[in-house]
Amino acid sequence: MTKPREVVIIGGVAGGMSAATRLRRLDEHARITVLERSGHVSFANCGLPYHVGGVIEDREALLLQTPASLRERFDLDVRVSHEAVRIDRERRVVVSRDLTTGTEREHPYDALVLSPGARPVRPPIPGIGRALTLRDIEDTDALVAATAGARSATVIGGGFIGIELAENLVRRGLRVTVVEATDQVMAPLDPEMVTPVHDRLREHGVHLRLGVSVAEIGADTVTLSDGSTAPAELVVAAVGVRPETALAEAAGLEIGPAGGIAVDPTLRTSDPAIWAVGDAVEKRDGLTHEAVLVPLANTANLQGRMVADLICGRPARLRDVNGTAIVGVFGLQVATTGWNEKRLRAAGRPYRAIHVHPNAHAGYYPGAEQMALKLLVDPVTDAILGAQGVGTDGVDKRIDVISTAMAGGLTASELAGLELAYAPQFGSAKDPVNMLGYLAENLADGVTRTVQWHELADRMAAGAVLLDVRTPAEHAAAPIPGSVLVELDTLRDRLDEIPPGPVIVHCGVGLRAHTAARLLAQHGFDVANLDGGHRTWQAGVRATARTHGRTRVEPGLRAAG
Amino acid sequence: MTKPREVVIIGGVAGGMSAATRLRRLDEHARITVLERSGHVSFANCGLPYHVGGVIEDREALLLQTPASLRERFDLDVRVSHEAVRIDRERRVVVSRDLTTGTEREHPYDALVLSPGARPVRPPIPGIGRALTLRDIEDTDALVAATAGARSATVIGGGFIGIELAENLVRRGLRVTVVEATDQVMAPLDPEMVTPVHDRLREHGVHLRLGVSVAEIGADTVTLSDGSTAPAELVVAAVGVRPETALAEAAGLEIGPAGGIAVDPTLRTSDPAIWAVGDAVEKRDGLTHEAVLVPLANTANLQGRMVADLICGRPARLRDVNGTAIVGVFGLQVATTGWNEKRLRAAGRPYRAIHVHPNAHAGYYPGAEQMALKLLVDPVTDAILGAQGVGTDGVDKRIDVISTAMAGGLTASELAGLELAYAPQFGSAKDPVNMLGYLAENLADGVTRTVQWHELADRMAAGAVLLDVRTPAEHAAAPIPGSVLVELDTLRDRLDEIPPGPVIVHCGVGLRAHTAARLLAQHGFDVANLDGGHRTWQAGVRATARTHGRTRVEPGLRAAG
C-alpha cells in the first residue's frame, strides 16, 4: 500500500469543511487535518445575524458539526483554536499554534488547502477599539452579550451584513442607526432600486444616515462627519470584508490584483502543492473574466468540494462568477446577480436597462404583491449582463431563474419563451421573467424605444413632450412635472393634440405607455416610453434627491457561511 | 395607403387575446375581429376553481377585459356570444352566428387565427348529463350556484383541474370524493412522488377513490365500478381536455397525430392564410420533437404573441415544449417539468433517477420544510430529461430553475455550479438544485452507484445485504424489512461485520448513506446507495401497495387561462 496522502486544510468553515468531507469521501486513506483559529468549525456563518436578533434562538443550531462528530463520521483531525502561523513551503510543513496553550506544532502535507476566509474591515476611526464585528461564534456571543441592557446601536456600513445586523438589532429592541458613507445602502443595487429598501428600513425604525461617515466613536455615541451625533451604546463595524491573505503572503504565494490569493482555474496557488478556496481567493468575473472578490457562501462551498476533486486528480474547472446574492430586509427580498448599471456605466460598457413592476403572482389571486425587477442587457449581443429585484415575494425565484439563464447562455429575448410553472397563486401566465424577455425583444427588434428615468429631465429640457397616458385621477395624484395628460383610452381620437416633436409617453409602470408608444409610432410620431413608468422614475428621483455627487463603492457582498 | 389587413381571431381568451393586442401594437391599421363563443373574453381561466372555492371572492376580478375596454384601448371588434360556425377558405371568409339572436354574418379575412382552446371531456357514463364541467365563466357560475345547499360532491378525475376543484369544493364545506381510474392523482408525478399529495388530500378530508371508475351517476350519488357508491349531490367531470378541432376539421385543415390542429414552427396550419395557437394545436415535445398536446396557459399566451409577429411578417419560431406546470394542493406545491420516469420507461428510453429531500431553506433557520425533488437524467449525455417537486415551500423556484437550465442546455452535472441566491431564510449554501447537480455528477463520474426504491426487493432477493446506517432509534422506529443496522459513525470500526457480497446502504434521505457507500467502496465492497433513502422508498412502497397493475394514462395538464 502506498503512503497515505497527507492533507492539511486551514480554515474549517464553508470552503474548508466542504473540502475536508468531500476529500474523505474520495480518499478513505488520506490523513486530513483541519486547523481552525476560532473555537468552532462548520458553523452557520450566514445565520449569525439571526442569532443576534433571536430569530434563531438556539445557539447550538448554528453549530452544524463539532470536532468530535467530524472525527467519528469522517475520520478528520479537526483542531479548533489552532492558528496556522507559518507555511514552510520548502519542507511542505504548516506550523500551527494552539491558542489555548501557546504550543506550536508542525503538520507535514502533500497537499495544503487554504480556506482562511475574509475578515471584517475595521476602519481607522478614533475609538474603533470599542466597535464589534461579526464573523464567528465568538463575535456573535460578544454581540448578544453587548445587546443586553443596551438601548441604542450604530451600525457602520450599509452592506448586506450591516443591514441584516440592523434588522436583528431592531428585533432586540434597540434604537438602531445605520451610517453609510455613500448615498445608499446595498451597493449592488442601482439607486432607483434601493429606494423601497430605504423606505422599508425607515418604516421599521432604522435611522439611516447616508452620505456621512463616522468621525469618532465616543463612550455611548458616535460623531458623524457632518458634526451630528447618533446614540451608540453599541457600535458594530460592517463596512465590508477583506481576504485573509497574511499567511499566504508571508509564505510568498502570489496575491492577485484584487487583493485576494491568486489561483488558477484549478484552484492552485502559485505553489502547485497549495490550493486555496473561498472568500480569501480571487474569482473571475462572469462578464470581463477579470479578477474579482466575491465573498459568497455558495461559491465557497462549491470551491471546497471542487478542490477535493482536484487534489484527488479528478477533473474540475472553475466557472466565472456572477455573484448572485440575496438579503432579507424586514420582509423585503433584495436580490442581485451580475453587474448593475452603475458598474456598467463606470466601466464604459454599453448596456440597455429594463425595469418592470409585475405582481409576484396573478393579480386576481389574493395577496399579489408588486415587485421591482431590473434587467441589464448587452445591446449588441442581447446577452444578459445582470439583474436586480426588490419585493416581498418571489424575487428570489426570478433572480435564480435569470442567474440560471445566464449560466445557460440564454439571451435576454429568450427569457420570453421560458416555460415557468404557472398557477395563479405562484406566478402569472406571463411570468415577470417572461415580461423582461418580451421587453428585451421589443428593444432588440426596434419595436419600442425607451428613455430611462435619469435621462428624462435632459430630454424634456431639449424639447421632448412628456405624455402621461394614465387616468386623470392617477395624474392628479402624482404627476411628473411638465407632463401632459392624454389618457390612453382616448389617445387614438386625440392625435391632433399631440405636438409633432419628440414625445415621451409614461404610465404607472410602462405597460399602458407601451401600447400608447406603439400607437403613436405607427402614426408617425417620434416616440419613446419612459422605462418602468412613474414608479421607476419616482424611485430614481427620490434616490437622486439624496445624492451629493459621491462616488460609487464596490459591492460589499455576503460573507461566506 | 394600402388596404388595411383584415384579421379574424376565433377565441378570445389566452392565446386569442394575446394575439389580438400584440397585433394591434404592431399594426395600428389592421381591422381585427375577435369571435368568442362564451359571454366573456380575456377572463382568468386558471382562476376559475378559486372563485368556486371563494378564494377569489369577487367574480369581476376574473374578468380582465371586456369588449368595451378592448374597443377603447385596442380598437378591437370583439364579439362575445358569437360562435364561428364555418370557414370558407376559398373566399377567405368566416361565418359567425350570434348565439343570442341566431343571426349569421360573414367576416372576410386576410389572416385567420384559430384559438378555440380545448374542451373538457365528458366521459360516456350513464347519467353524465348531470355532471358539470369547468371551462368558462358560465361554467363557473353554474358550479357556484350548484354548491349552494349541496353537502356532497364527486369529482371525476384526479388531474390538475380535478384536484384544484376538490380543494375548492372542500373550502365550500362540501364532502368531496375524487374518483380516479388510475392508481394515483396527477399523472405527471411518478408514484413515489405522489404519496405526499394523496396524504395531503386525505388529511383535508378528500375521499380518494383510486383505481375505480364511475359506472353510473345517480340522483345524488355515483356508483363506482367496484359497486360502491359515493355521495354526489354535485358531480364534476374533470377527466381531461380535448382540443377544439371541429371547426378546423370541417374546414379541411390538417389534424395532427396527437389529435390537435397541426401547425408548422411558424404556427401556420395546412392553409397558409390560417394560423392556430394555444390548447387546440399540437406542440413539439422537448425530448422527442414529436407532436404532443400540452394545454398550458403560458404556452398559449406565448403563441398568441408570436402569431401576431408572424402575421406581421416578423421572424419568430416556436420552441419545443417541456410542459412545466404547477398546482397547489392544500398548501402543497406540486410542480413538474419535462418527462417523468413512467413515461421514460414506457418509451424505453435510458435514464437515471435522482431523489433528494432537502429543506426549502437552511435547516437552522426557523420554518425550514423538507421537500421531495426528483431529477431524471440521460445517462449518456447527462442531459436533464425532467424533474418533479412536492413540498410546502420553494418547489416552484426549483422547478423553474431546472426548466430554465433545460432551456439553456445545461447538463445535470452543471446544476452543481449554478449560482443561486442564498441567505438562510431563502435557500441553502448548497441549494437543493445544486445538490441534484452534485448527485448527478457523482453518478456520471462513477463516484457513486444508486439503487431505486422499486429495485430494492429484487436486489435483496438476489442476495444483496441492506445496511441501515441511521441511528438505532431511527432504525427501530421505521426499519426496512430485512435491513441490518450499522450506524454510520461506527461503520469504519465494524467493517469486518459487513458480508463480502453486494451491499446496499440506506439512511433517511440518502446523504449519510452516500458517505457510508464511499467508505465501503474504498474498502473494496460492492456497494450502492438506496436513492432518496428511507423516505423515497417508503413513499414508493406505499404507492405500490395501492397498485393493481393498471396502466398509466397520459398527463392531464393544466388548461390554458
Side-chain angles (χ1 to χ4, degrees):
Chain A
M1 191 168 159
T2 53
K3 172 180 165 292
R5 183 186 275 134
E6 300 251 20
V7 183
V8 175
I9 298 172
I10 297 175
V13 194
M17 204 44 73
S18 291
T21 53
R22 171 77 171 172
L23 200 57
R24 172 58 70 223
R25 286 193 297 267
L26 293 178
D27 185 353
E28 174 66 13
H29 307 289
R31 287 198 202 151
I32 307 172
T33 305
V34 180
L35 302 172
E36 165 63 35
R37 182 166 43 187
S38 84
H40 306 83
V41 282
S42 197
F43 57 86
N45 213 323
C46 297
L48 302 184
Y50 296 95
H51 180 59
V52 171
V55 176
I56 302 170
E57 280 185 70
D58 181 10
R59 179 178 177 276
E60 296 303 306
L62 300 171
L63 305 174
L64 308 177
Q65 297 283 354
T66 64
S69 72
L70 291 163
R71 159 73 70 185
E72 267 194 334
R73 182 157 302 176
F74 295 102
D75 191 20
L76 301 178
D77 181 2
V78 176
R79 302 177 174 224
V80 296
S81 303
H82 273 64
E83 182 167 12
V85 291
R86 209 162 44 249
I87 302 169
D88 184 337
R89 290 166 51 192
E90 196 83 16
R91 293 173 51 226
R92 296 204 175 174
V93 159
V94 173
V95 179
S96 74
R97 180 183 299 138
D98 183 333
L99 297 177
T100 317
T101 64
T103 313
E104 295 203 348
R105 196 203 129 126
E106 292 197 341
H107 309 266
Y109 64 81
D110 301 308
L112 173 62
V113 178
L114 305 180
S115 182
R119 67 176 188 283
V121 172
R122 296 182 73 86
I125 301 168
I128 191 69
R130 182 161 86 76
L132 301 175
T133 55
L134 183 62
R135 183 186 185 184
D136 55 28
I137 298 286
E138 288 78 359
D139 293 343
T140 310
D141 291 342
L143 206 44
V144 169
T147 60
R151 286 154 304 170
S152 64
T154 288
V155 177
I156 310 175
F160 281 35
I161 304 285
I163 294 304
E164 283 184 340
L165 273 172
E167 175 173 347
N168 281 291
L169 291 170
V170 166
R171 283 207 181 97
R172 283 272 173 190
L174 275 70
R175 176 193 154 92
V176 176
T177 304
V178 171
V179 181
E180 166 57 49
T182 71
D183 293 302
Q184 66 166 76
V185 302
M186 291 191 207
L189 291 180
D190 286 316
E192 79 282 10
M193 299 298 287
V194 87
T195 296
V197 183
H198 288 162
D199 288 350
R200 194 80 165 194
L201 287 164
R202 291 189 174 111
E203 282 159 24
H204 286 264
V206 173
H207 298 262
L208 276 188
R209 299 301 313 275
L210 304 174
V212 289
S213 53
V214 174
E216 187 171 354
I217 300 171
D220 55 8
T221 60
V222 293
T223 305
L224 307 185
S225 53
D226 65 355
S228 67
T229 61
E233 292 173 46
L234 189 61
V235 178
V236 187
V239 297
V241 298
R242 197 167 285 159
E244 285 275 17
T245 54
L247 186 70
E249 283 186 75
L253 297 176
E254 189 188 331
I255 303 300
I261 301 172
V263 290
D264 72 10
T266 65
L267 292 167
R268 269 204 163 90
T269 67
S270 52
D271 180 332
I274 306 179
W275 285 259
V277 301
D279 293 359
V281 309
E282 295 187 347
K283 284 94 183 177
R284 296 278 148 190
D285 181 79
L287 192 49
T288 62
H289 315 295
E290 286 170 3
V292 284
L293 295 174
V294 180
L296 288 166
N298 44 12
T299 306
N301 278 286
L302 182 70
Q303 291 192 343
R305 184 177 186 274
M306 190 177 292
V307 83
D309 284 19
L310 291 160
I311 288 171
C312 293
R314 306 182 67 83
R317 222 184 144 74
L318 216 55
R319 285 193 36 237
D320 294 344
V321 298
N322 293 318
T324 310
I326 189 167
V327 67
V329 185
F330 294 105
L332 266 191
Q333 306 179 342
V334 181
T336 67
T337 188
W339 283 43
N340 62 20
E341 184 173 356
K342 293 180 288 192
R343 191 171 166 195
L344 288 164
R345 199 187 305 148
R349 284 190 75 106
Y351 65 88
R352 278 196 197 107
I354 301 172
H355 296 82
V356 294
H357 300 272
N359 286 317
H361 64 247
Y364 61 79
Y365 192 95
E369 298 268 359
Q370 214 169 24
M371 69 176 76
L373 269 183
K374 177 175 185 176
L375 189 74
L376 293 151
V377 181
D378 185 310
V380 178
T381 64
D382 200 29
I384 304 167
L385 304 176
Q388 300 159 52
V390 179
T392 54
D393 183 26
V395 169
D396 57 337
K397 175 164 73 171
R398 275 62 185 218
I399 293 298
D400 277 356
V401 165
I402 294 170
S403 172
T404 304
M406 290 171 78
L410 293 176
T411 63
S413 297
E414 284 173 326
L415 296 178
L418 284 182
E419 294 179 77
L420 302 173
Y422 167 57
Q425 63 273 52
F426 304 115
S428 294
K430 293 172 184 164
D431 189 87
V433 174
N434 298 140
M435 292 298 298
L436 288 171
Y438 287 145
L439 289 176
E441 194 182 80
N442 282 334
L443 289 165
D445 293 353
V447 168
T448 197
R449 286 186 300 145
T450 55
V451 166
Q452 292 299 309
W453 64 272
H454 53 76
E455 299 169 334
L456 182 63
D458 285 352
R459 294 290 183 96
M460 289 175 74
V465 169
L466 179 63
L467 215 62
D468 183 351
V469 300
R470 296 176 300 170
T471 64
E474 287 174 281
H475 178 75
I480 297 182
S483 63
V484 178
L485 174 70
V486 181
E487 191 178 357
L488 172 57
D489 290 348
T490 69
L491 181 58
R492 204 169 264 109
D493 300 324
R494 293 171 64 186
L495 293 174
D496 51 356
E497 295 177 35
I498 316 297
V503 176
I504 297 167
V505 287
H506 91 84
C507 62
V509 297
L511 282 176
R512 284 172 289 176
H514 173 53
T515 294
R518 288 299 309 155
L519 197 169
L520 291 173
Q522 295 187 67
H523 284 284
F525 289 90
D526 169 11
V527 63
N529 183 358
L530 180 62
D531 186 48
H534 183 276
R535 189 172 277 253
T536 296
W537 173 83
Q538 188 174 51
V541 166
R542 286 183 52 208
T544 316
R546 277 189 302 270
T547 301
H548 312 290
R550 280 187 190 72
T551 52
R552 185 179 63 86
V553 291
E554 280 306 307
L557 293 171
R558 169 173 303 278
Chain B
M1 190 168 158
T2 54
K3 171 178 164 297
R5 180 188 277 133
E6 300 250 22
V7 182
V8 176
I9 297 171
I10 297 176
V13 194
M17 204 45 71
S18 291
T21 52
R22 171 75 172 174
L23 201 57
R24 174 57 72 224
R25 286 193 296 267
L26 293 177
D27 185 352
E28 174 65 13
H29 307 291
R31 287 197 202 152
I32 306 172
T33 304
V34 179
L35 302 172
E36 166 62 34
R37 182 165 45 186
S38 84
H40 305 84
V41 283
S42 197
F43 57 85
N45 214 321
C46 297
L48 302 184
Y50 296 94
H51 181 56
V52 172
V55 177
I56 302 170
E57 281 185 69
D58 182 11
R59 180 178 178 278
E60 297 302 308
L62 300 170
L63 305 173
L64 309 177
Q65 297 283 351
T66 65
S69 72
L70 291 162
R71 159 73 71 185
E72 269 194 332
R73 181 157 301 176
F74 295 102
D75 192 20
L76 301 178
D77 181 2
V78 176
R79 301 177 175 224
V80 295
S81 303
H82 273 64
E83 183 168 11
V85 291
R86 212 162 42 249
I87 303 169
D88 184 338
R89 289 167 51 191
E90 196 82 17
R91 293 172 52 228
R92 296 203 173 175
V93 159
V94 173
V95 180
S96 74
R97 180 182 299 139
D98 183 332
L99 297 178
T100 317
T101 64
T103 314
E104 293 203 348
R105 195 205 129 128
E106 292 196 338
H107 308 267
Y109 64 80
D110 301 309
L112 173 62
V113 178
L114 305 181
S115 181
R119 65 174 190 285
V121 172
R122 295 182 74 84
I125 301 169
I128 190 71
R130 183 162 85 75
L132 301 175
T133 54
L134 183 62
R135 183 185 187 185
D136 55 27
I137 297 287
E138 287 79 357
D139 294 342
T140 311
D141 291 343
L143 206 44
V144 169
T147 59
R151 284 155 304 172
S152 65
T154 288
V155 177
I156 310 174
F160 281 35
I161 303 286
I163 294 303
E164 283 184 340
L165 273 171
E167 174 173 346
N168 281 290
L169 291 169
V170 167
R171 282 207 182 96
R172 283 272 174 192
L174 276 70
R175 177 192 152 93
V176 177
T177 304
V178 171
V179 182
E180 165 58 48
T182 70
D183 293 303
Q184 65 165 78
V185 302
M186 292 190 204
L189 291 181
D190 287 317
E192 79 282 11
M193 298 300 285
V194 86
T195 296
V197 183
H198 288 163
D199 288 347
R200 195 80 165 194
L201 287 164
R202 292 190 172 111
E203 283 159 21
H204 286 266
V206 173
H207 298 261
L208 275 189
R209 298 301 314 274
L210 303 175
V212 288
S213 54
V214 175
E216 186 171 358
I217 300 171
D220 55 7
T221 57
V222 294
T223 305
L224 306 186
S225 53
D226 64 355
S228 66
T229 61
E233 293 173 45
L234 189 62
V235 178
V236 188
V239 298
V241 298
R242 197 166 285 159
E244 285 275 18
T245 55
L247 185 70
E249 283 187 73
L253 296 176
E254 189 187 331
I255 304 300
I261 301 172
V263 291
D264 72 9
T266 67
L267 292 167
R268 269 199 163 94
T269 67
S270 52
D271 180 333
I274 306 180
W275 285 258
V277 300
D279 292 358
V281 309
E282 293 186 348
K283 283 93 182 176
R284 296 277 148 192
D285 181 79
L287 192 49
T288 62
H289 315 295
E290 286 170 4
V292 283
L293 296 174
V294 181
L296 288 168
N298 44 12
T299 306
N301 277 286
L302 182 69
Q303 290 193 341
R305 183 176 186 274
M306 192 178 290
V307 83
D309 284 19
L310 291 159
I311 288 172
C312 294
R314 306 182 69 83
R317 221 185 145 74
L318 216 55
R319 284 192 37 236
D320 295 343
V321 298
N322 292 320
T324 311
I326 188 167
V327 66
V329 185
F330 293 104
L332 267 191
Q333 306 178 345
V334 181
T336 67
T337 188
W339 284 42
N340 61 22
E341 184 173 356
K342 293 181 287 193
R343 193 171 165 194
L344 288 163
R345 200 186 304 149
R349 285 189 73 106
Y351 65 87
R352 276 197 198 110
I354 301 172
H355 295 82
V356 294
H357 300 272
N359 286 317
H361 64 247
Y364 60 80
Y365 192 95
E369 297 268 359
Q370 214 169 22
M371 69 175 77
L373 269 184
K374 178 175 184 175
L375 189 74
L376 293 151
V377 180
D378 187 308
V380 178
T381 65
D382 200 28
I384 304 167
L385 303 176
Q388 300 159 52
V390 178
T392 53
D393 182 27
V395 170
D396 59 336
K397 175 163 75 173
R398 273 62 185 217
I399 294 296
D400 278 357
V401 165
I402 293 170
S403 172
T404 303
M406 290 171 77
L410 294 176
T411 63
S413 296
E414 284 173 327
L415 296 178
L418 284 182
E419 294 179 78
L420 302 172
Y422 166 56
Q425 63 272 55
F426 303 114
S428 293
K430 293 173 184 167
D431 189 86
V433 175
N434 299 140
M435 291 299 297
L436 288 172
Y438 287 145
L439 289 177
E441 195 183 80
N442 282 336
L443 289 165
D445 292 354
V447 169
T448 196
R449 284 187 301 145
T450 55
V451 166
Q452 293 299 309
W453 63 272
H454 52 77
E455 299 169 333
L456 183 63
D458 284 352
R459 297 289 184 97
M460 288 174 73
V465 169
L466 179 62
L467 214 61
D468 183 351
V469 300
R470 297 176 300 170
T471 63
E474 287 174 282
H475 178 75
I480 296 182
S483 63
V484 177
L485 175 71
V486 180
E487 189 177 358
L488 171 57
D489 290 348
T490 69
L491 180 58
R492 201 168 267 111
D493 300 325
R494 294 172 61 186
L495 293 175
D496 50 356
E497 294 177 35
I498 316 296
V503 176
I504 298 167
V505 287
H506 91 84
C507 62
V509 297
L511 282 176
R512 282 172 290 175
H514 173 55
T515 294
R518 288 299 307 155
L519 196 169
L520 291 173
Q522 295 187 68
H523 284 284
F525 289 90
D526 169 10
V527 63
N529 184 357
L530 179 62
D531 186 47
H534 184 276
R535 188 171 278 253
T536 295
W537 172 83
Q538 188 174 50
V541 166
R542 286 184 53 208
T544 316
R546 277 187 304 271
T547 300
H548 312 290
R550 283 187 187 72
T551 52
R552 188 179 61 87
V553 293
E554 280 305 307
L557 292 172
R558 169 172 304 278

